[in-house]
Amino acid sequence: MCGIVGYIGARNTLSVLIKGLKSLEYRGYDSAGVSFIRNGELTVIKKKGKVKELYKAIDESGYNLSESGKNSISAGIGHTRWATHGAPSDENSHPHLSMNGKICVVHNGIIENYAELRSYLKKKGYEFSSDTDTEVAAQLIEYYYTKGGDQDFEGSIRRALQDIVGSYALCVLCVDFPDKIICAKKDNPIVIGLGENENFIASDIPALIEYTRDVVFMEDNCILIMTKDSIVIKDVHGEVVDYEVSHVDWDADAAQKGGYAHFMMKEMFEEPKAFEATVAPRIKDGDIYLEHFPCTREFVSDIRSINIVACGTAYHAGCIGKYLIEKLCRIPVTCTVASEFIYSDPIIDEHTLTVVISQSGETLDTRNAMREAKNRGSKTLAIVNVIGSTIAREADHVLYTAAGPEISVASTKAYTTQLGCVYLLALKFAKTLGTITPEKYTDYQYELLEMPSKLKRILDVQDRIQRFASSEFNAESIFFIGRGLDYYLSMEASLKLKEISYIHSEAYAGGELKHGTIALIEDGTLVVSPITQDELAGKMESNIKEVSTRGATVLAIIPERFAEREFSCNEKFIIPDCDELFAPILTALPCQLFAYYMAVNKGCDIDKPRNLAKSVTVE
Ligand code: AGP
């Protein structure tokens, strides 16, 4: 979704803003803009399209954009917009200026009562030049700024916020206060980057990481007053509040493509390392340690049910978690899409553990679901990738995935590491409850520790997937079918394909196809079938036979031990052997590679697929 950057300091502000916006491109956007104060004048430059169009427009306006360029700007903010209210256009791009040109605003989130505020302001004589909800914020701040005659920049923002209903990360410049940026936050992230005689703001860490590792994650309902050498955070009443400085140890290169054609490719190649970093440090001396999470017998025995909530890929990791926990721990588990959970009147109480899974830690649906679960008395555990993100901070307990920054919109290494965490959790609970034998507990830890080298072996032969994709990329519709864990994995494989290649795809339980969907199978329909579960392999052979006799082309993804087995498929992709319970960790990678190569062959925008955003902060 939208991205925000802001800077005050001696560096060339325009260069910092443009670089920051570029590093936030992965969040998904359709227009970009900057505004800055220079020699007491407020300038706005904004453009529909990519950051490079904005760069061109700034350059053509005669501003120096080189990193070493002299800085004559006292404060600057920038924005990438993902349209919600009003089509993508120059006018609707942020920043938005107030009518008298003194106040300038960039905003992430949605002002829900914008129509009401807009007509109120219109009656007061305000004219609007865009269709956005954000412009209302700029006008409203100006209204309060000029109203009393005391021109209180901070006070006018605080007053405007009393009228605004909705969610926001709001950054505001005022021409009368050329050395200041004021931000307000509710339900949308703002990270403050601390430097020496310079300070930064951004909606996500990659925009800051080149300059500083010391960051402050702003809390909801707070206002930040930032100058080059100070930050002050206040609550809605104007009282100064304490903040905590976090140190981010992400490698600055991690947010760069590093020679790969796309971030998605790079991130798939990082899976062995990311999985190892997530799992290995938590396995010591034959036991599993989940830091900050009490796995005492007393705590775990008190849990009568587990409720997993997440969205998209994270939801699919949750489905695997449900299967594992029920199998290994015999605790009933529900796994629900977060946006549905909130309205489902869920049956949960203080004996429920709610596990929320999120790469970004900012997904609004997931956050709302977690809050709902908390309100109903549930304990909460968050499996999150972004340190200090809202979900991580609001959950009772956190298990971080160690995927590092994931830039590509299509989630790959985050999924594999989320699986790493759900396996650790299921095994630890089973050990604590005594539902697993000590031998199996030990064997399964080895299985996890061996995954990185097996993932590497898959990457070594990824050209086989590439070749298959090159011959099939014209497919109009692709079905993924599997049983048991392979079905849950198929759901993720299908999502990955759809989101980046735009090919219609569905995932079905192998046995379910014949209840209707098989009517869609015709000559040449492509069916991909992971078959990794011993007990279910025979049944899956019947299911792929059903589709191949109706003309389908079938790719089977199978473990080494099935290599010699007869399957009614046109092509086999063989993954390393492992205990069948752990197969999804390996099967995911060829499915991601398949989606990637299909999309590359079709010439799609791999890292920034159409209509999608990396971090979805609207309901
Ligand atoms: C993954 O490829 C998707 N882009 C998407 O489904 C994503 O997993 C979902 O929006 C949840 O995001 P989160 O993990 O940051 O909460």
Side-chain angles (χ1 to χ4, degrees):
M1 305 247 120
C2 312
I4 285 179
V5 288
Y7 176 68
I8 307 187
R11 296 173 201 265
N12 182 349
T13 303
L14 289 172
S15 157
V16 174
L17 296 181
I18 289 291
K19 270 182 131 182
L21 292 179
K22 278 205 83 57
S23 69
L24 296 177
E25 279 188 307
Y26 71 92
R27 293 169 67 90
Y29 73 106
D30 41 56
S31 54
V34 291
S35 71
F36 49 88
I37 303 176
R38 184 169 169 264
N39 303 330
E41 267 182 37
L42 184 55
T43 304
V44 177
I45 303 177
K46 51 189 192 175
K47 275 270 158 225
K48 178 183 167 195
K50 299 284 177 197
V51 173
K52 63 174 191 264
E53 315 294 340
L54 174 67
Y55 182 98
K56 223 168 112 208
I58 299 174
D59 193 38
E60 282 168 5
S61 307
Y63 293 99
N64 184 348
L65 277 149
S66 84
E67 222 167 303
S68 54
K70 199 170 154 292
N71 195 28
S72 48
I73 291 173
S74 56
I77 54 179
H79 190 264
T80 47
R81 172 175 187 254
W82 188 82
T84 56
H85 296 60
S89 67
D90 288 356
E91 297 71 36
N92 289 335
S93 313
H94 300 210
H96 287 285
L97 267 182
S98 67
M99 205 169 69
N100 70 5
K102 285 198 163 198
I103 304 283
C104 192
V105 165
V106 295
H107 164 229
N108 290 357
I110 290 179
I111 297 175
E112 288 164 13
N113 60 340
Y114 84 102
E116 192 188 305
L117 292 172
R118 197 173 154 113
S119 50
Y120 173 77
L121 288 162
K122 273 187 169 172
K123 280 186 204 135
K124 301 271 173 204
Y126 280 85
E127 282 166 20
F128 287 79
S129 54
S130 80
D131 305 320
T132 64
D133 52 337
T134 301
E135 194 183 359
V136 163
Q139 308 284 34
L140 193 63
I141 295 168
E142 180 198 298
Y143 172 65
Y144 286 118
Y145 184 72
T146 47
K147 195 179 172 201
D150 53 355
Q151 308 214 325
D152 176 359
F153 181 24
E154 186 190 324
S156 60
I157 294 176
R158 190 170 296 113
R159 180 61 194 86
L161 293 178
Q162 287 175 16
D163 296 347
I164 290 174
V165 177
S167 60
Y168 45 81
L170 208 57
C171 295
V172 193
L173 290 179
C174 175
V175 74
D176 299 332
F177 297 82
D179 305 320
K180 228 177 233 182
I181 297 176
I182 300 190
C183 303
K185 173 194 177 327
K186 183 170 171 275
D187 291 337
N188 271 262
I190 294 185
V191 191
I192 307 159
L194 305 177
E196 281 217 1
N197 288 321
E198 60 178 355
N199 285 311
F200 306 79
I201 43 153
S203 37
D204 206 351
I205 295 167
L208 313 169
I209 197 89
E210 186 183 335
Y211 313 106
T212 178
R213 303 291 167 88
D214 293 325
V215 300
V216 178
F217 299 98
M218 251 183 99
E219 297 289 344
D220 269 356
N221 300 311
C222 280
I223 289 179
L224 161 76
I225 300 106
M226 184 171 99
T227 64
K228 74 175 170 31
D229 39 30
S230 73
I231 67 160
V232 177
I233 301 181
K234 296 185 181 176
D235 64 16
V236 280
H237 310 293
E239 296 296 322
V240 174
V241 295
D242 288 339
Y243 56 82
E244 204 178 300
V245 179
S246 307
H247 188 77
V248 179
D249 57 6
W250 285 357
D251 184 350
D253 294 342
Q256 307 295 324
K257 259 191 248 168
Y260 287 90
H262 303 101
F263 276 110
M264 183 177 173
M265 191 46 143
K266 176 178 176 253
E267 288 161 5
M268 288 188 289
F269 269 81
E270 285 171 350
E271 284 185 43
K273 198 177 95 201
F275 191 86
E276 186 166 9
T278 301
V279 165
R282 291 172 169 140
I283 298 181
K284 272 179 239 137
D285 307 323
D287 206 349
I288 291 171
Y289 296 88
L290 305 177
E291 71 284 358
H292 317 307
F293 188 55
C295 276
T296 58
R297 188 159 176 98
E298 197 195 352
F299 181 85
V300 180
S301 320
D302 189 50
I303 296 169
R304 308 222 180 110
S305 64
I306 295 183
N307 160 46
I308 305 179
V309 278
C311 302
T313 290
Y315 164 70
H316 296 149
C319 291
I320 304 265
K322 167 187 159 64
Y323 184 99
L324 285 175
I325 297 170
E326 289 192 332
K327 187 155 188 87
L328 294 174
C329 313
R330 312 310 296 162
I331 303 175
V333 185
T334 51
C335 182
T336 318
V337 165
S339 53
E340 287 298 312
F341 173 81
I342 314 162
Y343 306 102
S344 66
D345 195 7
I347 308 169
I348 50 176
D349 58 23
E350 67 277 17
H351 299 293
T352 310
L353 173 68
T354 294
V355 180
V356 296
I357 308 178
S358 174
Q359 186 284 129
S360 61
E362 299 295 345
T363 303
L364 190 59
D365 289 328
T366 310
R367 284 165 50 196
N368 288 343
M370 186 172 80
R371 286 174 185 172
E372 177 66 22
K374 271 190 148 184
N375 288 341
R376 290 175 183 245
S378 172
K379 305 169 181 72
T380 53
L381 166 69
I383 297 177
V384 172
N385 192 42
V386 177
I387 297 160
S389 54
T390 309
I391 291 175
R393 281 179 290 132
E394 289 184 2
D396 298 329
H397 311 282
V398 191
L399 257 188
Y400 281 112
T401 49
E406 188 180 67
I407 306 296
S408 175
V409 165
S411 192
T412 54
K413 61 176 178 170
Y415 175 72
T416 318
T417 55
Q418 285 161 353
L419 290 185
C421 284
V422 296
Y423 277 83
L424 288 169
L425 188 68
L427 289 177
K428 184 68 183 180
F429 270 30
K431 148 90 179 344
T432 312
L433 293 170
T435 51
I436 191 173
T437 64
E439 295 72 31
K440 275 272 176 240
Y441 186 56
T442 309
D443 290 352
Y444 286 170
Q445 289 173 53
Y446 279 116
E447 289 287 348
L448 286 177
L449 293 170
E450 282 178 2
M451 285 296 148
S453 63
K454 292 180 181 176
L455 287 167
K456 276 188 199 140
R457 281 171 53 200
I458 294 173
L459 290 168
D460 288 343
V461 292
Q462 50 106 14
D463 55 314
R464 294 201 48 209
I465 291 281
Q466 181 177 18
R467 275 201 300 277
F468 183 73
S470 305
S471 62
E472 298 295 335
F473 71 93
N474 283 321
E476 282 177 9
S477 187
I478 302 181
F479 292 86
F480 287 83
I481 59 171
R483 283 175 180 251
L485 283 170
D486 290 330
Y487 168 50
Y488 294 130
L489 188 275
S490 294
M491 288 159 65
E492 172 55 12
S494 174
L495 172 66
K496 206 85 320 167
L497 180 81
K498 291 187 260 245
E499 73 177 322
I500 58 167
S501 73
Y502 317 142
I503 297 172
H504 166 257
S505 170
E506 289 181 41
Y508 267 88
E512 184 62 14
L513 217 59
K514 59 184 178 291
H515 296 288
T517 310
I518 202 162
L520 298 177
I521 304 291
E522 51 186 5
D523 234 7
T525 307
L526 186 55
V527 174
V528 179
S529 180
I531 309 174
T532 66
Q533 306 294 298
D534 294 75
E535 211 190 324
L536 300 170
K539 299 267 180 244
M540 274 315 300
E541 162 54 15
S542 308
N543 297 142
I544 57 174
K545 184 91 188 152
E546 285 158 12
V547 293
S548 61
T549 46
R550 286 164 178 83
T553 302
V554 179
L555 165 67
I557 302 175
I558 53 172
E560 278 157 353
R561 64 182 180 284
F562 292 168
E564 300 308 320
R565 200 171 162 155
E566 287 287 318
F567 285 109
S568 304
C569 62
N570 305 71
E571 185 82 25
K572 288 176 180 171
F573 184 81
I574 296 172
I575 58 169
D577 258 330
C578 65
D579 183 287
E580 61 179 359
L581 210 54
F582 294 77
I585 302 168
L586 298 179
T587 320
L589 185 50
C591 294
Q592 294 165 351
L593 287 161
F594 174 64
Y596 173 82
Y597 282 118
M598 293 294 272
V600 168
N601 277 298
K602 290 191 72 193
C604 299
D605 189 347
I606 304 289
D607 290 330
K608 296 185 280 291
R610 70 182 178 207
N611 305 339
L612 294 182
K614 182 68 180 164
S615 175
V616 184
T617 49
V618 293
E619 272 184 273

